[in-house]
Amino acid sequence: MQEIDPIPLWLVLLLSVFPQLAAAPIETLLPLKAVGYLGYKRISRKNVLDSPRRLEILSFIKTNPGLHFRELLREMSLTRGTLGYHVERLQSAGLLKAVKRKGRIHYFATGSPYSAEKEALIIAMGNDTLRGIITQISLNRGAHTEELAEESGLSKATVYTHVKYLERQGIVTSEREGRYVRYTLTDDYFRILAEYTHNRSPEPARVPAENTG
């Protein structure tokens, strides 16, 4: 049976005054909750998981750490407004940690057993292109931009942009060899990658979320 969240008092009162709003999507009305005098229930860390949907979102992120918002939107089959509202509540309650990379916000459960370095690797490995570059560098114990471009089928300019991002994250380091620049994994990330690949299958399978509507 599909569970339906209870209609908050503030929304009932609002619709009684402005019945024409009944035709509007519920997500467009959520920002109006800020009018506290309407008497909606205050969400805190103690009761934030009383909502089965928020509990589902948090559990999904724990199982699939590092996903960004659009990935969560696709994987969980929720509307943008519904997902955004519940993610915001989880963050406000201190249960979700947001990490910004390459213009996207990636989510981890607060208290997850990942160091900042491992979070950076998890995020990078979630990107198909970055994962391919990291894997090739690791398997060959280093590679030039030209080699990475040939293997991936990408342009040298595109590969260069990606390896420079990985270098800024501290995942790879560069060393000039004549007219070429050779990229290798740093010692720390070589070890972290070995642990990551040992604990995960070659093609990580995400745990599907139950569609609660």
Side-chain angles (χ1 to χ4, degrees):
M1 178 180 295
Q2 187 178 42
E3 182 167 353
I4 301 175
D5 290 340
I7 300 176
L9 177 60
W10 67 267
L11 182 54
V12 174
L13 294 175
L14 186 65
L15 292 176
S16 67
V17 177
F18 302 102
Q20 64 270 26
L21 291 178
I26 182 65
E27 290 81 12
T28 64
L29 303 177
L30 291 176
L32 297 175
K33 67 180 178 11
V35 287
Y37 59 83
L38 290 178
Y40 69 91
K41 182 180 179 180
R42 181 177 179 83
I43 298 174
S44 66
R45 189 182 181 98
K46 291 183 178 180
N47 64 17
V48 68
L49 295 181
D50 287 351
S51 163
R53 187 167 289 134
R54 280 194 288 275
L55 181 60
E56 178 199 4
I57 292 170
L58 181 60
S59 298
F60 188 74
I61 291 174
K62 285 181 177 179
T63 306
N64 304 278
L67 297 184
H68 58 74
F69 186 84
R70 289 183 64 183
E71 289 174 320
L72 287 171
L73 199 61
R74 181 177 63 249
E75 297 287 342
M76 302 203 71
S77 300
L78 297 174
T79 66
R80 179 178 295 274
T82 296
L83 179 62
Y85 171 73
H86 289 302
V87 165
E88 181 185 346
R89 299 283 72 74
L90 289 167
Q91 281 187 266
S92 298
L95 296 179
L96 276 189
K97 175 183 179 182
V99 179
K100 189 173 183 178
R101 292 287 187 276
K102 294 174 75 70
R104 287 175 170 169
I105 304 296
H106 300 259
Y107 297 98
F108 294 85
T110 301
S112 60
Y114 305 119
S115 63
E117 291 79 10
K118 193 161 187 178
E119 287 178 351
L121 182 64
I122 289 173
I123 291 172
M125 294 294 281
N127 178 286
D128 292 342
T129 302
L130 292 178
R131 183 171 63 249
I133 290 173
I134 291 171
T135 300
Q136 188 179 353
I137 291 174
S138 175
L139 292 176
N140 297 319
R141 299 300 179 100
H144 302 144
T145 302
E146 291 75 5
E147 294 170 331
L148 294 169
E150 182 178 355
E151 177 70 20
S152 65
L154 300 171
S155 68
K156 288 189 288 186
T158 299
V159 168
Y160 179 80
T161 298
H162 287 305
V163 292
K164 283 301 176 184
Y165 165 77
L166 293 173
E167 189 172 23
R168 289 194 300 272
Q169 296 302 309
I171 296 174
V172 305
T173 185
S174 61
E175 182 179 1
R176 179 162 291 279
E177 292 183 344
R179 50 191 291 261
Y180 298 102
V181 175
R182 185 175 182 81
Y183 295 93
T184 57
L185 289 180
T186 61
D187 291 341
D188 284 346
Y189 274 100
F190 189 83
R191 173 183 53 79
I192 293 172
L193 180 63
E195 296 174 355
Y196 176 88
T197 53
H198 176 74
N199 293 328
R200 296 178 72 94
S201 59
E203 290 294 331
R206 289 173 183 165
V207 177
E210 295 181 5
N211 186 1
T212 57

